[in-house]
Amino acid sequence: MSTSTPEAGRTAERFDVVVIGAGFSGMYALHRLRQQGRLAVCLEAGDGVGGTWYWNRYPGARVDIESMQYSYSFDDDLQQEWSWSEHFSPQPDLEAYANHVADRFGLREDIRFETRVDELTFDESADEWHVGTASGERFVARHVIAATGSLDVSNVPDWPGLDRFRGEAYHTSRWPKEGVDLAGKRVGLIGTGSTGIQITPEVAAVAEHLTVFQRTPNFSLPSRNRKLDAEYQQEWKANYPERRKQILGTHGAVLMSNVAEQRSIFDYTEEEREEVMERAWNARNGLEFIRTFTDTSSDPKANEILAEFVRNKIRSMVHDPETAELLCPKTYPIGGKRICIDSGYYETFNRDNVSLVDVRTHPIEEVTESGLRTSESEYDLDVIIFATGFDAMTGSMLRMNVTGVEGARLADHWADGPRTVFGLMTAGFPNLFMVHGPGSPSVLAQMITTGEWQVDWILRTIDHLEENEISRFGATPAQESEWAAEVDTTASRTMHSRTDSWYTGANIPGKPRALLMYVGGFQRYSDWCTRAADEGYTGFEKK
Ligand code: N01
């Protein structure tokens, strides 16, 4: 039972902790808080659980981490009883899993659905957060855990005419629950990131015609998805305790199958390296393939050899040489943008009902009543699908209008790029914790497991604060600078920071450019966070 408190003429419900978001991390936070006997509520904008896997229900949506790992570890009965159907789970399986967890642990009674937080204000007199929602509810809590997702705020290009379009338009991340009937329709798809690459074959299979509008081609590698047999699952389940521990000791919180070569690409003759790449291409899924050599993510020359191998694969899969060439990425290193994995993407361009339009050379200029106009041609369409990505990493925090100490606005504090400590806290906004925030490994590590880990760190911290009667706890600017130096040093060794993508904010006009996640690896990251806790949180602001 919450208690009520008068707040600026309105009644606010009072909790120990408000959790924002009922995705995998938010649900886990709520579960742990309830276990601890804390009064907690979870506020969720959607009408169901699952976060990313609730919103992104477009045809073909699928995770790129294998199912036996991309799942909760906190409850052994749960991980023993649940069965996955495919190596890479499709969205419906992940949403079903989220629903199962919510029911199994009775979480729904403490989740308020269709409740979008649009105001977070710190009350300095009481060291509490006041939380306001779009529908007018008010909540007060000492601590807030924002589990608002790294990829939640949809990016829709600001083209003139969108309101004039007489057909249907959808962003993939807000795909209607009842589905969309594309049969017999002329469909335009904008965007060729992971999402565009997943939805392309699905749309092509039903639409009368699919036109893919591509600005930048992506490197996509075969997912080699497969049904999961009982024996494989059983083997994992028998070894779960040990495997889960091993996962936390890896760079990306993922165990890869045994990758045989741990050598530089230049240790091989040209002929040998072609053989090695060919073997790896046929045996591994895309995410493992790019780890075939030790130096392709750091040495541009090594990278170019691997990239050209993949381009040749694209050329061999796509029959029309002009289309094949357009699909070959040539302006950035392989692995600089997030690698996509697919099931039949390139082959889809061999279908008679699919065409590719290069909107790098001839950009889209406006949406018309009947379709899209580029600087070269007009395209009549019945449906436009925006697979145009997200205002990633910072968008979901900034849109909540967060105001901290002395009226400081988070939007101002992050005006030149986000500043955080471990992606978990930001200076001037005490008692506010983020899960997978900017400056954390976030999407570069397996997010369910690392989300559990971060929530555990946050709850350990809250325990410490209560034991020591600390009512206000926050990061300092000095700590932010120290963490920024660590983030920058590790980033400078990778291709990510030199490539335009949502990783660096380059996909959103006007967004400050900075690598938004920590690339030093999950193990190193968790060492930093654990050290801070073990040392009694020295350096943090405490009152
Ligand atoms: O978004 P994106 P996404 N005119 O930003 C194009 C995760 N995910 O939803 O590259 C024309 O990658 C844009 O072009 P360009 C995964 O982490 C995972 O696909 O900016 N085009 C690009 O092609 C992934 O990385 C899975 O030139 C415009 C596309 O839209 C992340 O989500 C599946 C444009 C956006 O690509 C985001 O992926 C799906 C414009 N004005 C997603 N604006 C799996 O687990 C944008 N574009 C497998």
Side-chain angles (χ1 to χ4, degrees):
M1 276 287 289
S2 64
T3 56
S4 299
T5 197
E7 190 234 4
R10 286 170 298 197
T11 304
E13 289 180 76
R14 178 173 284 282
F15 291 89
D16 298 330
V17 182
V18 167
V19 177
I20 307 174
F24 282 106
S25 298
M27 286 204 297
Y28 175 62
L30 179 64
H31 171 62
R32 283 286 317 274
L33 288 161
R34 284 162 44 112
Q35 265 186 337
Q36 293 177 329
R38 290 203 160 93
L39 203 54
V41 69
C42 176
L43 308 179
E44 165 57 50
D47 69 3
V49 294
T52 287
W53 302 108
Y54 166 88
W55 294 106
N56 289 271
R57 52 181 71 246
Y58 59 86
R62 183 183 295 286
V63 71
D64 59 3
I65 306 286
E66 76 148 320
S67 308
M68 298 310 291
Q69 303 191 51
Y70 192 74
S71 51
Y72 284 122
S73 65
F74 70 86
D75 187 285
D76 194 48
D77 290 342
L78 171 68
Q79 66 185 3
Q80 294 299 330
E81 79 200 9
W82 185 261
S83 282
W84 296 102
S85 63
E86 297 182 46
H87 189 74
F88 295 118
S89 291
Q91 179 272 338
D93 287 12
L94 289 159
E95 193 186 13
Y97 176 66
N99 276 298
H100 171 76
V101 172
D103 292 336
R104 195 183 188 290
F105 296 98
L107 301 180
R108 283 178 213 283
E109 62 194 59
D110 290 317
I111 302 176
R112 306 285 172 89
F113 292 102
E114 298 183 82
T115 302
R116 178 173 288 289
V117 172
D118 65 357
E119 198 186 322
L120 269 180
T121 307
F122 190 65
D123 172 3
E124 289 177 63
S125 63
D127 291 333
E128 289 175 334
W129 282 97
H130 289 218
V131 182
T133 74
S135 35
E137 296 99 321
R138 292 291 176 266
F139 303 87
V140 177
R142 164 76 25 103
H143 297 110
V144 168
I145 301 177
T148 46
S150 304
L151 295 158
D152 181 51
V153 178
S154 315
N155 169 44
V156 178
D158 187 17
W159 292 314
L162 194 51
D163 49 344
R164 282 206 307 266
F165 181 54
R166 284 199 307 250
E168 303 157 62
Y170 305 97
H171 193 284
T172 44
S173 67
R174 293 294 178 268
W175 200 256
K177 270 191 184 160
E178 60 283 8
V180 180
D181 182 9
L182 298 171
K185 296 193 175 144
R186 296 161 304 171
V187 180
L189 170 69
I190 304 154
T192 51
S194 298
T195 302
I197 281 172
Q198 286 188 327
I199 197 174
T200 290
E202 305 285 330
V203 176
V206 290
E208 179 190 302
H209 192 88
L210 168 65
T211 309
V212 177
F213 295 89
Q214 172 189 272
R215 187 165 67 182
T216 314
N218 243 300
F219 288 100
S220 186
L221 310 176
S223 71
R224 311 219 178 278
N225 187 31
R226 58 178 193 273
K227 295 279 175 215
L228 274 190
D229 57 51
E231 207 182 314
Y232 179 82
Q233 297 208 46
Q234 212 33 59
E235 198 274 330
W236 258 92
K237 287 180 180 181
N239 292 293
Y240 253 143
E242 192 194 331
R243 298 255 167 95
R244 295 289 194 191
K245 266 190 226 134
Q246 287 170 347
I247 284 170
L248 288 174
T250 63
H251 190 89
V254 184
L255 293 177
M256 298 279 179
S257 62
N258 278 335
V259 176
E261 295 80 17
Q262 287 296 333
R263 295 163 62 185
S264 156
I265 202 165
F266 299 112
D267 287 350
Y268 299 92
T269 64
E270 261 178 58
E271 244 173 43
E272 283 169 348
R273 73 171 75 117
E274 280 296 312
E275 263 173 46
V276 172
M277 287 189 283
E278 190 62 40
R279 251 199 329 269
W281 176 270
N282 290 317
R284 298 179 193 156
N285 70 58
L287 299 180
E288 297 188 346
F289 171 80
I290 61 158
R291 290 173 172 80
T292 301
F293 303 103
T294 50
D295 46 357
T296 47
S297 64
S298 52
D299 177 347
K301 284 198 185 114
N303 186 282
E304 177 51 26
I305 295 170
L306 196 72
E308 187 58 12
F309 176 86
V310 175
R311 285 185 212 114
N312 285 333
K313 287 288 177 196
I314 298 171
R315 290 172 186 128
S316 72
M317 283 184 274
V318 179
H319 300 160
D320 174 48
E322 218 174 291
T323 306
E325 224 40 52
L326 258 185
L327 287 166
C328 286
K330 292 171 191 153
T331 55
Y332 60 92
I334 185 167
K337 284 178 192 269
R338 189 180 184 87
I339 279 289
C340 305
I341 58 173
D342 71 273
S343 305
Y345 173 65
Y346 293 111
E347 293 87 341
T348 302
F349 291 91
N350 296 329
R351 295 176 64 114
D352 291 339
N353 70 332
V354 177
S355 44
L356 182 67
V357 172
D358 171 17
V359 295
R360 168 73 62 194
T361 319
H362 299 290
I364 295 169
E365 293 194 331
E366 65 168 337
V367 183
T368 65
E369 282 185 13
S370 57
L372 287 172
R373 193 173 61 71
T374 68
S375 61
E376 186 186 45
S377 295
E378 281 207 38
Y379 298 86
D380 285 339
L381 302 167
D382 302 307
V383 181
I384 301 177
I385 299 174
F386 290 91
T388 41
F390 302 88
D391 180 359
M393 303 297 292
T394 52
S396 62
M397 286 301 295
L398 291 174
R399 83 163 160 200
M400 290 193 295
N401 297 308
V402 188
T403 307
V405 174
E406 292 177 6
R409 285 164 34 82
L410 185 62
D412 294 331
H413 185 52
W414 287 2
D416 298 326
R419 291 179 60 74
T420 70
V421 176
F422 313 144
L424 284 162
M425 301 200 81
T426 185
F429 302 83
N431 300 359
L432 170 60
F433 299 92
M434 297 172 285
V435 187
H436 298 310
S440 75
S442 175
V443 296
L444 298 181
Q446 196 263 92
M447 294 183 83
I448 298 187
T449 304
T450 56
E452 286 177 303
W453 193 93
Q454 289 186 338
V455 167
D456 287 344
W457 187 93
I458 292 167
L459 297 185
R460 176 182 175 188
T461 305
I462 292 177
D463 283 345
H464 171 87
L465 305 181
E466 286 182 357
E467 279 157 22
N468 293 282
E469 295 181 4
I470 296 165
S471 65
R472 187 187 295 192
F473 176 80
T476 64
Q479 287 178 307
E480 287 181 335
S481 298
E482 187 189 15
W483 186 241
E486 165 69 8
V487 170
D488 290 349
T489 310
T490 46
S492 62
R493 295 182 213 137
T494 70
M495 307 275 174
H496 299 312
S497 48
R498 281 172 266 147
T499 306
D500 283 348
S501 77
W502 64 266
Y503 278 14
T504 54
N507 65 326
I508 302 294
K511 188 163 172 168
R513 188 172 170 130
L515 188 64
L516 294 165
M517 51 287 281
Y518 177 65
V519 293
F522 184 72
Q523 191 176 28
R524 187 173 161 114
Y525 171 80
S526 57
D527 284 348
W528 271 85
C529 301
T530 304
R531 203 162 44 241
D534 288 349
E535 288 171 0
Y537 304 92
T538 20
F540 283 85
E541 177 205 2
K542 292 178 213 159
K543 194 183 106 184

